[in-house]
Amino acid sequence: KQEVTQIPAALSVPEGENLVLNCSFTDSAIYNLQWFRQDPGKGLTSLLLIQSSQREQTSGRLNASLDKSSGRSTLYIAASQPGDSATYLCAVRGYGGSQGNLIFGKGTKLSVKP
Amino acid sequence: DAGVIQSPRHEVTEMGQEVTLRCKPISGHNSLFWYRQTMMRGLELLIYFNNNVPIDDSGMPEDRFSAKMPNASFSTLKIQPSEPRDSAVYFCASSLNSADTQYFGPGTRLTVL
């Protein structure tokens, strides 16, 4: 059974720092991996989706990497801003009939202090 | 596009009552997902539909939960009878196809007293 873990559960950094959020998964047979952002009281916003054949994806100040063999993904945020404060979740998707089934980690709550 | 629309945004009900949550997916999306989020268990998939057909309902906790998708633009999640342990935020999401990026609605916060 696939399990997704995100460490740390919470992170506080001063504005301007570069930071890395970690995600690990137990079954390396994934179809793709997706990073989301969730603001308090809101739904999830998709940030990046990495296919299993890809090593990384970039969008603006965000860069997500994927190492399937080791069961790890990282989300790198450059030059963090207070507006980046949110909970970041990663989710993995399997093959076949479970392709629609995203397995989520519990998230890392990020606080960026001005 | 207005994105995924969910109603109501908040629901407070008493134990034993029937609860119906509603979702309108993004137009043109073929897949629709219902999730439940709690502090203890995080975000869990309850059920998902492809082209209005339920594909995986293994996450539906028990017979008190049922979901329907009568057409491509509407889905309901019903709980009957509701129990206090059903209190959670329920999200609906849609995607072009089942393996594509999912777009989430704002959620329905359900409180069962």
Side-chain angles (χ1 to χ4, degrees):
Chain A
K1 179 185 172 186
Q2 178 74 270
E3 292 183 5
V4 179
T5 304
Q6 292 184 249
I7 295 174
L11 180 64
S12 182
V13 300
E15 181 177 4
E17 266 202 14
N18 302 324
L19 60 100
V20 174
L21 306 181
N22 297 296
C23 172
S24 61
F25 45 95
T26 55
D27 185 350
S28 62
I30 64 169
Y31 186 81
N32 58 35
L33 180 146
Q34 201 165 350
W35 281 94
F36 292 87
R37 167 187 174 136
Q38 185 174 27
D39 292 284
K42 301 285 180 63
L44 279 68
T45 301
S46 178
L47 298 173
L48 291 163
L49 184 147
I50 311 178
Q51 301 295 347
S52 62
S53 58
Q54 297 175 320
R55 298 283 299 193
E56 64 180 325
Q57 281 283 344
T58 298
S59 176
R61 294 183 294 109
L62 305 180
N63 176 279
S65 68
L66 174 64
D67 184 344
K68 265 199 343 177
S69 60
S70 66
R72 292 182 185 179
S73 176
T74 61
L75 180 67
Y76 175 83
I77 303 177
S80 58
Q81 302 170 358
D84 295 329
S85 298
T87 297
Y88 291 81
L89 299 101
C90 76
V92 300
R93 178 181 279 113
Y95 283 94
S98 64
Q99 265 193 11
N101 192 351
L102 278 176
I103 307 296
F104 281 84
K106 292 198 175 173
T108 294
K109 186 174 182 179
L110 174 65
S111 177
V112 181
K113 306 293 187 185
Chain B
D1 200 313
V4 176
I5 299 172
Q6 290 187 248
S7 64
R9 293 295 311 277
H10 302 273
E11 177 82 30
V12 180
T13 190
E14 294 188 346
M15 182 173 65
Q17 296 298 308
E18 176 181 302
V19 175
T20 300
L21 311 181
R22 296 173 177 79
C23 175
K24 176 179 169 56
I26 293 172
S27 178
H29 281 191
N30 297 312
S31 300
L32 182 141
F33 308 82
W34 282 102
Y35 290 90
R36 178 172 66 178
Q37 186 176 40
T38 62
M39 289 290 291
M40 287 292 293
R41 301 175 65 90
L43 200 60
E44 301 174 292
L45 178 70
L46 299 176
I47 185 171
Y48 83 91
F49 296 82
N50 261 1
N51 298 313
N52 313 337
V53 176
I55 301 300
D56 183 353
D57 65 354
S58 58
M60 296 286 263
E62 48 199 271
D63 291 346
R64 296 184 299 106
F65 286 68
S66 63
K68 293 182 179 179
M69 192 165 185
N71 57 63
S73 59
F74 184 65
S75 177
T76 59
L77 178 67
K78 185 177 292 186
I79 309 173
Q80 180 185 20
S82 58
E83 297 183 1
R85 60 192 168 121
D86 301 331
S87 297
V89 181
Y90 291 81
F91 288 104
C92 176
S94 71
S95 61
L96 274 172
N97 293 296
S98 61
D100 292 323
T101 299
Q102 294 183 17
Y103 296 87
F104 280 69
T108 295
R109 181 173 295 276
L110 173 66
T111 303
V112 183
L113 303 174

